[in-house]
Amino acid sequence: MDSGFLFALDEYSPLIYITVVLVSFLITGVLVRRWFGLRVPVIQRNLKGTGFSTRVLKMQMRQVKNPFGLEIPHPATASVTKGITLTLDCLEDCILTCYWGCSVQKLHEALVSHAYCFTIGTPQALEDALDSDYLYQQQYFMEKNDKEEKYCQLPEDAQVVDFGPEPRSRYPLVVLLTLADEDREIYDIISMVTVIHIPDESYRLSCRILHQYILLAQGQYCDLKKLFMSANGTAPSSSNRSPGERSTDRTLLEKAKQAEDEPELHEENSNDCVVCLNSPVNWVFLPCRHVCLCDGCVNYFQRCPMCMQFVQVSFPLYSKKEQDEDESTCISQDVNL
């Protein structure tokens, strides 16, 4: 009996080994699929054999003209007690409405109401959605292209020096920008809501924009996010330097015998592709929001070269047609000069 078992084991041992390997491979494959989902990184050779075709999804970008622009020119001097200065750059006449101490819950309920109930295209519509749950309101009429600074401040009788510890139930300042002419239908964006943090005695984080929401006439609203573009920041632009500084640099180069073939100092383009260093960056990677690759290099990467995060979705900033138009415009300007 024992000799027969040993003989059978010796005869069928290769099949047993193969079965064990197959079972281990299947178990490993199931675990990997459960861990990564359906987006397992796979790199395949393309037909030419010189590059890689990845499974990164490429989205079409919808360009929308935003008629509103808002900046904080002096963030270091802003505070709840001293107020804040705002600068607008709008394409049309607009109405600037400031809501001090706006309820966080009411504001987000208002944004949801814009998507499902009624359109927030006027200050009155937002005020109705907020149920007047704010401390103080200021309103200004701004003409288009008027970049005059507007000073906003809580009145002294409000006696507000801070908005309490975190988590807070009120935003320090919410700014609403709407079109003065409600009948204008040339823009998809009808209003913009900006949430601004202002330092106070309880929370001294520097003044900054926390959120910017653009509200569309169709009922959608989008939270604007910043893109991170590649930039060295070490080479100052010659346009920002005085002629004396440029002549001094030229003299130093001539003394070093490095200026025979260089009529001007070489300025690095801060928007060049981080891989080829030759073409302008054009592709945005999500979710990291890095803009660091050109049209030619984007097909070779499945991870962002800046942070090495896997790219889920990418989209171009400019289409090929728009790039050609920009280049032709630059060439025509050079010819005119």
Side-chain angles (χ1 to χ4, degrees):
M1 180 68 180
D2 295 339
S3 61
F5 175 75
L6 293 175
F7 178 78
L9 182 63
D10 181 69
E11 182 178 0
Y12 294 103
S13 59
L15 297 177
I16 295 176
Y17 296 151
I18 293 174
T19 303
V20 171
V21 171
L22 289 176
V23 172
S24 302
F25 178 78
L26 292 175
I27 294 175
T28 303
V30 171
L31 293 177
V32 170
R33 282 293 182 181
R34 292 188 62 183
W35 181 264
F36 290 100
L38 298 178
R39 294 176 179 173
V40 179
V42 177
I43 299 179
Q44 299 176 344
R45 288 281 183 180
N46 61 9
L47 296 178
K48 296 181 180 180
T50 58
F52 297 93
S53 60
T54 62
R55 293 185 178 180
V56 176
L57 298 178
K58 294 184 178 181
M59 300 176 59
Q60 293 290 336
M61 185 181 68
R62 178 189 175 190
Q63 295 187 357
V64 180
K65 181 179 291 186
N66 185 7
F68 308 110
L70 183 142
E71 294 182 355
I72 305 175
H74 312 293
T77 61
S79 67
V80 171
T81 55
K82 296 180 180 179
I84 185 175
T85 303
L86 303 176
T87 301
L88 275 65
D89 187 7
C90 300
L91 302 179
E92 301 289 341
D93 296 343
C94 64
I95 298 176
L96 168 68
T97 310
C98 301
Y99 299 93
W100 290 88
C102 180
S103 170
V104 175
Q105 180 178 355
K106 289 294 184 179
L107 176 63
H108 290 279
E109 288 179 356
L111 295 175
V112 174
S113 300
H114 172 79
Y116 293 101
C117 300
F118 57 90
T119 301
I120 298 178
T122 61
Q124 185 61 43
L126 180 59
E127 189 171 346
D128 294 340
L130 294 176
D131 292 333
S132 300
D133 195 354
Y134 53 84
L135 302 180
Y136 184 68
Q137 181 201 74
Q138 290 176 292
Q139 193 170 89
Y140 304 94
F141 174 82
M142 301 293 296
E143 296 182 355
K144 64 178 180 179
N145 300 323
D146 183 7
K147 298 184 180 181
E148 179 185 357
E149 295 183 354
K150 290 296 182 181
Y151 183 71
C152 304
Q153 184 182 16
L154 277 167
E156 295 181 358
D157 56 1
Q159 298 181 353
V160 176
V161 295
D162 61 57
F163 290 93
E166 294 183 334
R168 292 180 163 181
S169 60
R170 293 183 180 274
Y171 287 126
L173 181 63
V174 174
V175 178
L176 173 68
L177 281 172
T178 56
L179 295 174
D181 187 0
E182 301 177 13
D183 297 331
R184 297 300 296 269
E185 298 180 354
I186 60 175
Y187 298 102
D188 291 334
I189 299 175
I190 57 175
S191 58
M192 183 174 73
V193 177
T194 304
V195 180
I196 302 176
H197 167 73
I198 302 178
D200 53 30
E201 294 184 357
S202 298
Y203 195 38
R204 299 187 179 276
L205 183 68
S206 59
C207 179
R208 65 190 63 190
I209 294 177
L210 298 179
H211 303 284
Q212 273 191 322
Y213 302 98
I214 54 174
L215 281 63
L216 280 70
Q218 294 79 13
Q220 303 93 341
Y221 72 93
C222 305
D223 187 2
L224 297 181
K225 298 291 186 180
K226 291 185 177 180
L227 299 179
F228 305 107
M229 301 188 70
S230 59
N232 46 44
T234 57
S237 174
S238 61
S239 60
N240 297 328
R241 302 162 68 190
S242 63
E245 292 177 345
R246 292 197 294 269
S247 63
T248 301
D249 294 336
R250 174 70 180 180
T251 303
L252 292 175
L253 285 177
E254 289 176 349
K255 289 181 179 179
K257 296 182 179 180
Q258 296 178 357
E260 289 86 357
D261 299 327
E262 296 183 5
E264 293 290 340
L265 291 176
H266 175 67
E267 296 180 5
E268 297 182 7
N269 188 351
S270 61
N271 292 332
D272 281 346
C273 174
V274 298
V275 177
C276 66
L277 303 177
N278 188 32
S279 301
V281 295
N282 188 32
W283 284 86
V284 181
F285 291 152
L286 297 179
C288 66
R289 291 185 277 135
H290 279 122
V291 189
C292 55
L293 293 182
C294 63
D295 293 330
C297 296
V298 69
N299 296 322
Y300 294 86
F301 289 87
Q302 202 174 24
R303 289 191 179 198
C304 174
M306 300 295 292
C307 61
M308 299 307 296
Q309 185 174 0
F310 279 106
V311 180
Q312 297 180 3
V313 178
S314 64
F315 63 89
L317 286 176
Y318 302 99
S319 63
K320 183 65 176 175
K321 180 180 179 181
E322 291 173 344
Q323 289 181 347
D324 295 339
E325 291 177 354
D326 292 340
E327 292 178 359
S328 62
T329 303
C330 293
I331 292 174
S332 63
Q333 290 177 351
D334 293 339
V335 172
N336 293 331
L337 292 176

